[in-house]
Amino acid sequence: MITIELLRQTGGLGAFSDAELEILLGASLPRTFAAGDVLCRQGRAGTSCFVIVSGIVEVLKEDGAGGHRLLTRLSAGTIAGQLALVDGAPRNATLAAHTNVVALELTRDVFHRLVGASSPLAFRFQMQIAISTGRQLREADRRLAKVLEERGTHTSVTPEVAAQIAAVEAATLRRLQDAVADIDVPFEPFDIVEITPPERIAGPASRPA
Amino acid sequence: MQPTRATNMLIRHVSVFDALTDREVDAFTVFVKERRLAVGEVLFAEGDFGESLFVLLQGQIAVYVRGPGGEQVHLARLVPGDIIGEGACIDPAPRSAATVAHSPAVLLELNRQSLERMAVEQPKVASVLLGAIIQDLTHRLRDVDRRVEAALGSKAPPPVPSRPPAPRTGSFDRLASRFKVR
């Protein structure tokens, strides 16, 4: 049973009001997956996407020889499997449950109605899709830079551009240092500073039950 | 990928302002600030703080990401019609890449507060913009994934892809003319 309270706990959906979560809940199918279950498969047409409510979902790229590489892991609050709904192309990767997973499944039709509307709910839903996709893109960019650098097959930056980027980075660092220096925190020593040893909180590990 | 699908994606991807009427394009301009860059000028560096996104009206912008070995790797080349830096705008985080003008560039800057205000005052414009951002992110994610696969499977240096300049739409021209871009 997926409730508004459970959706609230996912963290990623903080911008949604209760009324909006209610609509989202009403428009989607609650799904549960056991660890190892496949949510959707690479190369297939996309007919739905998922909002992960709890658990971890793995994004896997099939290598064509029966195996697969792990691209990333997605956690609660993330929208998964939306690419194929956005552009209509086949699934980019396989989604598999790494742990037990609870998710809301949104059909293509519901997805497009949510994205296509210009309501506050649609705006937040679009933001959520953009955030989920943007985070995956960030990771993909890192993977690409790593692969290209490791193989020495990348187009490198010209020295002039490298110097420009370095100058801006240095300026950012200076601004950051100035900002930190500007914060005037009065130092007031605590009267009593006592560090509680962990066993005083948890109890001795060897204590018999 | 079949060329027809790729072409469709491309057209959908670039025509950011296609779905807007002239009035809505004008409404969009209220929320943005114009930026001009000289050749070699850095729009933002990797790790920089910033919550603005940019719409490239004219010129070329190169995208660099620092590899784990510390080298600046040239990842992409952006052309007019492309949206830049939307990651940090919608999802506050340090910039994930450096962007440098490879030719004199004209951009429109939209910050996070303006985007939020736009969502309230001009919901359709905000929705169209976000739709374009989602298309853009989706397109780029697929593209990067393909390039990772290609790089893993071959030793040849892959070229940095550059999309052909966006087919000009009436709305884009209207926007460009408002900012005196040819």
Side-chain angles (χ1 to χ4, degrees):
Chain A
M1 175 72 180
I2 302 177
T3 59
I4 304 280
E5 289 69 41
L6 189 58
L7 290 182
R8 277 262 165 265
Q9 286 165 22
T10 62
L13 303 171
F16 292 81
S17 70
D18 279 359
E20 288 165 351
L21 288 178
E22 194 103 52
I23 294 173
L24 202 61
L25 203 53
S28 56
L29 307 163
R31 297 287 306 269
T32 56
F33 300 93
D37 282 356
V38 169
L39 283 73
C40 63
R41 214 173 275 285
Q42 183 181 332
R44 301 271 175 85
T47 53
S48 65
C49 73
F50 303 89
V51 179
I52 305 170
V53 177
S54 69
I56 305 285
V57 171
E58 289 189 329
V59 182
L60 305 167
K61 198 85 178 174
E62 288 168 11
D63 60 10
H68 46 244
R69 285 184 302 110
L70 174 66
L71 291 193
T72 186
R73 292 200 169 108
L74 307 175
S75 57
T78 306
I79 296 178
Q82 76 281 19
L83 296 193
L85 296 187
V86 171
D87 64 13
R91 295 273 187 209
N92 200 45
T94 293
L95 295 178
H98 179 57
T99 61
N100 289 343
V101 167
V102 176
L104 292 177
E105 183 169 12
L106 299 168
T107 63
R108 174 201 294 274
D109 186 45
V110 168
F111 178 85
H112 283 296
R113 266 189 288 149
L114 270 174
V115 171
S118 43
S119 62
L121 170 61
F123 178 73
R124 274 184 263 287
F125 188 66
Q126 285 184 316
M127 287 290 272
Q128 208 61 38
I129 294 166
I131 288 170
S132 293
T133 313
R135 286 184 186 171
Q136 289 183 49
L137 178 60
R138 261 170 202 252
E139 286 188 35
D141 276 345
R142 303 254 147 246
R143 279 199 299 277
L144 180 59
K146 180 167 183 278
V147 170
L148 294 182
E149 193 186 51
E150 275 170 4
R151 311 206 150 210
T153 55
H154 61 286
T155 322
S156 207
V157 67
T158 63
E160 295 79 32
V161 171
Q164 279 275 359
I165 294 174
V168 173
E169 282 175 351
T172 302
L173 191 63
R174 269 199 306 279
R175 276 209 311 279
L176 199 65
Q177 283 165 344
D178 288 351
V180 171
D182 281 349
I183 302 171
D184 188 18
V185 184
F187 179 69
E188 289 174 18
F190 292 98
D191 287 342
I192 302 160
V193 178
E194 188 191 347
I195 297 167
T196 312
E199 61 269 22
R200 292 227 336 244
I201 299 169
S206 57
R207 182 191 291 170
Chain B
M1 180 156 294
Q2 295 152 15
T4 49
R5 183 175 284 137
T7 311
N8 280 346
M9 271 172 63
L10 195 65
I11 292 165
R12 281 215 309 271
H13 161 76
V14 291
S15 43
V16 178
F17 301 100
D18 234 9
L20 299 181
T21 63
D22 286 355
R23 268 174 84 166
E24 286 162 345
V25 170
D26 291 346
F28 176 78
T29 62
V30 171
F31 297 92
V32 297
K33 219 169 60 188
E34 189 194 313
R35 286 279 299 271
R36 286 178 188 257
L37 298 178
V39 176
E41 211 173 325
V42 177
L43 181 59
F44 50 77
E46 187 173 341
D48 223 341
F49 294 95
E51 43 176 38
S52 290
L53 64 81
F54 303 86
V55 178
L56 183 56
L57 287 186
Q58 190 176 53
Q60 280 205 355
I61 301 272
V63 180
Y64 297 95
V65 170
R66 202 183 278 284
E71 281 194 64
Q72 295 283 1
V73 179
H74 187 185
L75 275 197
R77 200 173 285 140
L78 304 173
V79 296
D82 277 336
I83 299 171
I84 306 169
E86 68 278 23
C89 178
I90 53 173
D91 187 16
R95 299 289 188 189
S96 62
T99 47
V100 183
H102 270 197
S103 65
V106 182
L107 305 106
L108 300 180
E109 177 174 3
L110 176 75
N111 65 29
R112 171 75 185 214
Q113 288 101 309
S114 298
L115 176 63
E116 300 270 0
R117 202 156 49 82
M118 190 191 288
V120 175
E121 295 171 15
Q122 293 286 342
K124 190 189 158 196
V125 179
S127 166
V128 167
L129 178 68
L130 270 177
I133 289 173
I134 291 168
Q135 291 280 348
D136 186 66
L137 290 170
T138 300
H139 175 88
R140 274 159 54 196
L141 179 52
R142 283 200 190 260
D143 179 55
V144 169
D145 271 355
R146 261 197 303 275
R147 287 167 66 197
V148 171
E149 296 302 308
L152 286 174
S154 89
K155 290 260 183 282
V160 174
S162 175
R163 283 186 288 269
R168 289 299 188 84
T169 66
S171 303
F172 183 85
D173 279 344
R174 186 176 176 85
L175 191 64
S177 71
R178 288 285 303 249
F179 291 90
K180 301 184 177 56
V181 172
R182 275 173 292 109

